[in-house]
C-alpha cells in the first residue's frame, strides 16, 4: 500500500491466492507468472483506515505506574490467545485443503454436477 512502510510479499497457496493484511493506501500488485512474465495492477481505491493528520493525533491518557504493567500483560495475554486460536484454525484449513487435493475422483458425482 502507498501508506505502508514496507512491502508485502510471499508465495501463493495451491489455489493461487496470497493474502496481504494491513494494506494502507492504494495498492500496487505485481505477480510473477514465469521467469520473464509479470502481471501488474494498480488499485484506485484507498484501503485501510484514513490517514490521521499529525496535529490531530491524540495523546494517550496518563496511567498510574502499576496500572500500565498490568494492562500490558493483559494485552499480551489476549494477543497470544488470538494467535494460538488462529494457528489452530489455519492448521485445520490446511488439513481440509490437503484432503481435497489428495481425493481421487473417478467420474462425476450426481450431487456435484448441479
Amino acid at each position: 500500500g502507498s501508506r505502508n512502510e514496507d512491502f508485502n510479499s510471499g508465495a501463493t497457496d495451491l489455489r493461487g491466492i496470497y493474502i496481504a493484511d494491513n494494506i494502507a493506501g492504494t495498492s500496487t500488485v505485481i505477480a510473477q507468472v514465469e521467469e520473464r512474465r509479470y502481471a501488474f495492477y494498480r488499485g484506485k481505491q484507498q484501503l485501510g483506515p484514513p490517514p490521521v493528520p499529525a496535529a490531530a493525533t491524540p495523546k494517550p491518557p496518563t496511567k498510574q505506574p502499576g496500572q500500565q504493567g498490568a494492562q500490558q500483560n493483559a494485552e499480551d495475554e489476549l494477543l497470544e490467545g488470538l494467535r494460538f486460536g488462529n494457528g489452530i484454525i489455519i492448521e485445520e484449513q490446511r488439513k481440509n485443503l490437503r484432503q481435497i487435493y489428495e481425493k481421487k475422483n473417478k467420474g462425476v458425482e450426481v450431487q456435484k454436477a448441479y
Side-chain angles (χ1 to χ4, degrees):
S2 59
R3 292 191 322 258
N4 286 77
E5 293 180 16
D6 238 346
F7 291 103
N8 287 357
S9 65
T12 63
D13 62 11
L14 296 174
R15 300 168 293 168
I17 296 174
Y18 171 73
I19 298 175
D21 291 325
N22 300 323
I23 302 297
T26 56
S27 63
T28 300
V29 179
I30 302 170
Q32 183 176 4
V33 179
E34 295 172 354
E35 187 176 332
R36 293 185 172 187
R37 291 187 59 203
Y38 295 89
F40 181 84
Y41 174 80
R42 185 179 305 265
K44 295 178 177 84
Q45 182 177 0
Q46 291 287 324
L47 303 173
V52 178
T57 305
K59 292 184 178 181
T62 56
K63 300 175 184 174
Q64 302 298 327
Q67 187 182 15
Q68 185 176 4
Q71 185 176 356
Q72 185 64 38
N73 287 342
E75 289 175 3
D76 290 344
E77 194 173 313
L78 177 62
L79 186 58
E80 186 62 33
L82 289 172
R83 286 182 180 150
F84 179 75
N86 284 344
I88 291 172
I89 292 169
I90 289 169
E91 191 55 42
E92 186 69 27
Q93 292 302 324
R94 283 183 183 156
K95 184 176 126 183
N96 292 341
L97 186 60
R98 199 173 310 120
Q99 287 176 351
I100 290 170
Y101 284 126
E102 291 174 355
K103 185 177 178 182
K104 303 291 184 201
N105 291 331
K106 292 184 179 181
V108 176
E109 294 180 24
V110 175
Q111 293 86 357
K112 293 184 180 180
Y114 292 99

